[in-house]
Amino acid sequence: MSKKINSALKDLKKALEAHADVVGGSAVSLKKAQRANAKVAAAAEAYAEAVQAKSGLGSPFTKIVSPGLEDSTVASLAAERDSLKQHLTGPVPILQPAEEHHGEDGEEHDEESNEESNEESDDDNDEDEDEEPKAN
């Protein structure tokens, strides 16, 4: 057996045993399980690369069915994501300024004239507060 294949096989066995220990317990830590999963995947890839370099054969793990989503579903979701990305990150339309307000007489009214009329009405309210309430 090649030294590289033998070394990759040892790493793969260790990763699989560690994975079995982590996920085989009664309380499974998500972080630990994810780390163990990643180590198994990396070790399997390294083993497949060593086999391919020595013998020219493809990966022995290609026919393993992934428990995830089907390829057609993944492709559909990826297409939808790309479509949304293009529509949401496209150019932002520039809004035109609002039209000026015209009074009933057809003339423009600015904000200052509105403020003056508000101040006058406030002064009227102040006068009422100064008067003492009438007793019955």
Side-chain angles (χ1 to χ4, degrees), residues 3 19-20 25 36 50 54 67 79 91 95 103 105 109-110 113 119:
K3 287 183 182 181
H19 184 271
K54 177 71 176 171
L95 300 176
D105 55 2
H109 295 280
D110 58 353
S113 64
E119 287 176 10

mmCIF file of all heavy atoms in Angstrom, residues 3 19-20 25 36 50 54 67 79 91 95 103 105 109-110 113 119:
data_model
loop_
_atom_site.group_PDB
_atom_site.id
_atom_site.type_symbol
_atom_site.label_atom_id
_atom_site.label_comp_id
_atom_site.label_asym_id
_atom_site.label_seq_id
_atom_site.Cartn_x
_atom_site.Cartn_y
_atom_site.Cartn_z
ATOM 1 N N LYS A 3 2.282 4.944 0.856
ATOM 2 C CA LYS A 3 2.368 5.665 2.135
ATOM 3 C C LYS A 3 1.291 6.736 2.231
ATOM 4 O O LYS A 3 0.687 6.931 3.293
ATOM 5 C CB LYS A 3 3.749 6.297 2.293
ATOM 6 C CG LYS A 3 4.848 5.314 2.581
ATOM 7 C CD LYS A 3 6.158 6.038 2.797
ATOM 8 C CE LYS A 3 7.277 5.046 3.047
ATOM 9 N NZ LYS A 3 8.559 5.710 3.276
ATOM 10 N N HIS A 19 -16.332 10.879 14.794
ATOM 11 C CA HIS A 19 -17.691 11.229 14.397
ATOM 12 C C HIS A 19 -18.710 10.314 15.081
ATOM 13 O O HIS A 19 -19.730 10.777 15.597
ATOM 14 C CB HIS A 19 -17.821 11.131 12.874
ATOM 15 C CG HIS A 19 -19.139 11.569 12.345
ATOM 16 N ND1 HIS A 19 -20.199 10.704 12.211
ATOM 17 C CD2 HIS A 19 -19.574 12.778 11.923
ATOM 18 C CE1 HIS A 19 -21.229 11.367 11.723
ATOM 19 N NE2 HIS A 19 -20.878 12.628 11.536
ATOM 20 N N ALA A 20 -18.419 9.017 15.097
ATOM 21 C CA ALA A 20 -19.323 8.049 15.734
ATOM 22 C C ALA A 20 -19.448 8.325 17.221
ATOM 23 O O ALA A 20 -20.543 8.209 17.792
ATOM 24 C CB ALA A 20 -18.831 6.629 15.483
ATOM 25 N N GLY A 25 -23.653 9.540 21.063
ATOM 26 C CA GLY A 25 -23.975 9.749 22.480
ATOM 27 C C GLY A 25 -25.429 10.097 22.682
ATOM 28 O O GLY A 25 -26.196 10.312 21.736
ATOM 29 N N ALA A 36 -17.145 17.367 13.576
ATOM 30 C CA ALA A 36 -16.817 15.971 13.261
ATOM 31 C C ALA A 36 -17.217 15.638 11.828
ATOM 32 O O ALA A 36 -16.498 14.935 11.118
ATOM 33 C CB ALA A 36 -17.512 15.036 14.250
ATOM 34 N N ALA A 50 -5.681 10.846 -2.745
ATOM 35 C CA ALA A 50 -4.508 9.958 -2.696
ATOM 36 C C ALA A 50 -4.715 8.743 -3.602
ATOM 37 O O ALA A 50 -3.796 8.329 -4.317
ATOM 38 C CB ALA A 50 -4.243 9.517 -1.251
ATOM 39 N N LYS A 54 -2.507 7.926 -7.098
ATOM 40 C CA LYS A 54 -1.760 6.672 -7.234
ATOM 41 C C LYS A 54 -2.290 5.815 -8.380
ATOM 42 O O LYS A 54 -1.521 5.276 -9.174
ATOM 43 C CB LYS A 54 -1.829 5.894 -5.905
ATOM 44 C CG LYS A 54 -1.165 4.539 -5.925
ATOM 45 C CD LYS A 54 0.335 4.689 -5.976
ATOM 46 C CE LYS A 54 0.976 3.298 -5.892
ATOM 47 N NZ LYS A 54 2.382 3.341 -6.144
ATOM 48 N N PRO A 67 -27.953 12.973 2.218
ATOM 49 C CA PRO A 67 -29.292 13.022 2.797
ATOM 50 C C PRO A 67 -29.950 14.391 2.650
ATOM 51 O O PRO A 67 -31.023 14.611 3.149
ATOM 52 C CB PRO A 67 -29.051 12.690 4.273
ATOM 53 C CG PRO A 67 -27.666 13.153 4.524
ATOM 54 C CD PRO A 67 -26.914 12.930 3.235
ATOM 55 N N ALA A 79 -31.472 29.248 -8.540
ATOM 56 C CA ALA A 79 -31.986 30.134 -9.584
ATOM 57 C C ALA A 79 -32.872 31.221 -8.983
ATOM 58 O O ALA A 79 -32.788 32.398 -9.366
ATOM 59 C CB ALA A 79 -32.756 29.335 -10.621
ATOM 60 N N PRO A 91 -30.746 48.953 -9.959
ATOM 61 C CA PRO A 91 -30.722 50.404 -9.762
ATOM 62 C C PRO A 91 -31.936 50.874 -8.962
ATOM 63 O O PRO A 91 -33.023 50.329 -9.084
ATOM 64 C CB PRO A 91 -30.751 50.953 -11.189
ATOM 65 C CG PRO A 91 -31.275 49.854 -12.026
ATOM 66 C CD PRO A 91 -30.889 48.567 -11.340
ATOM 67 N N LEU A 95 -36.953 59.407 -7.169
ATOM 68 C CA LEU A 95 -38.297 59.963 -7.119
ATOM 69 C C LEU A 95 -38.248 61.451 -7.445
ATOM 70 O O LEU A 95 -37.339 62.161 -7.026
ATOM 71 C CB LEU A 95 -38.913 59.746 -5.746
ATOM 72 C CG LEU A 95 -39.057 58.288 -5.306
ATOM 73 C CD1 LEU A 95 -39.577 58.228 -3.886
ATOM 74 C CD2 LEU A 95 -39.984 57.552 -6.250
ATOM 75 N N GLY A 103 -53.454 76.755 -3.102
ATOM 76 C CA GLY A 103 -54.652 76.951 -2.298
ATOM 77 C C GLY A 103 -55.896 76.907 -3.167
ATOM 78 O O GLY A 103 -55.836 76.740 -4.375
ATOM 79 N N ASP A 105 -57.655 79.363 -4.015
ATOM 80 C CA ASP A 105 -57.659 80.493 -4.940
ATOM 81 C C ASP A 105 -56.678 80.294 -6.100
ATOM 82 O O ASP A 105 -56.574 81.140 -6.984
ATOM 83 C CB ASP A 105 -57.344 81.794 -4.189
ATOM 84 C CG ASP A 105 -56.038 81.713 -3.411
ATOM 85 O OD1 ASP A 105 -55.356 80.662 -3.477
ATOM 86 O OD2 ASP A 105 -55.683 82.701 -2.745
ATOM 87 N N HIS A 109 -48.871 78.810 -1.793
ATOM 88 C CA HIS A 109 -48.768 79.167 -0.386
ATOM 89 C C HIS A 109 -47.464 78.580 0.130
ATOM 90 O O HIS A 109 -47.173 77.413 -0.069
ATOM 91 C CB HIS A 109 -49.946 78.581 0.409
ATOM 92 C CG HIS A 109 -51.260 79.162 0.012
ATOM 93 N ND1 HIS A 109 -51.686 80.380 0.457
ATOM 94 C CD2 HIS A 109 -52.234 78.704 -0.822
ATOM 95 C CE1 HIS A 109 -52.874 80.632 -0.070
ATOM 96 N NE2 HIS A 109 -53.220 79.629 -0.850
ATOM 97 N N ASP A 110 -46.690 79.418 0.786
ATOM 98 C CA ASP A 110 -45.438 78.892 1.342
ATOM 99 C C ASP A 110 -45.630 78.565 2.806
ATOM 100 O O ASP A 110 -46.630 78.921 3.413
ATOM 101 C CB ASP A 110 -44.278 79.875 1.121
ATOM 102 C CG ASP A 110 -44.545 81.242 1.732
ATOM 103 O OD1 ASP A 110 -45.665 81.459 2.211
ATOM 104 O OD2 ASP A 110 -43.616 82.077 1.746
ATOM 105 N N SER A 113 -46.181 81.570 5.584
ATOM 106 C CA SER A 113 -47.518 82.120 5.800
ATOM 107 C C SER A 113 -48.339 81.178 6.677
ATOM 108 O O SER A 113 -49.143 81.621 7.475
ATOM 109 C CB SER A 113 -48.218 82.394 4.474
ATOM 110 O OG SER A 113 -48.424 81.193 3.778
ATOM 111 N N GLU A 119 -49.174 80.983 14.526
ATOM 112 C CA GLU A 119 -48.763 81.799 15.674
ATOM 113 C C GLU A 119 -49.907 82.667 16.132
ATOM 114 O O GLU A 119 -50.119 82.878 17.326
ATOM 115 C CB GLU A 119 -47.549 82.649 15.294
ATOM 116 C CG GLU A 119 -46.271 81.838 15.173
ATOM 117 C CD GLU A 119 -45.092 82.688 14.705
ATOM 118 O OE1 GLU A 119 -45.230 83.930 14.662
ATOM 119 O OE2 GLU A 119 -44.049 82.099 14.398
#
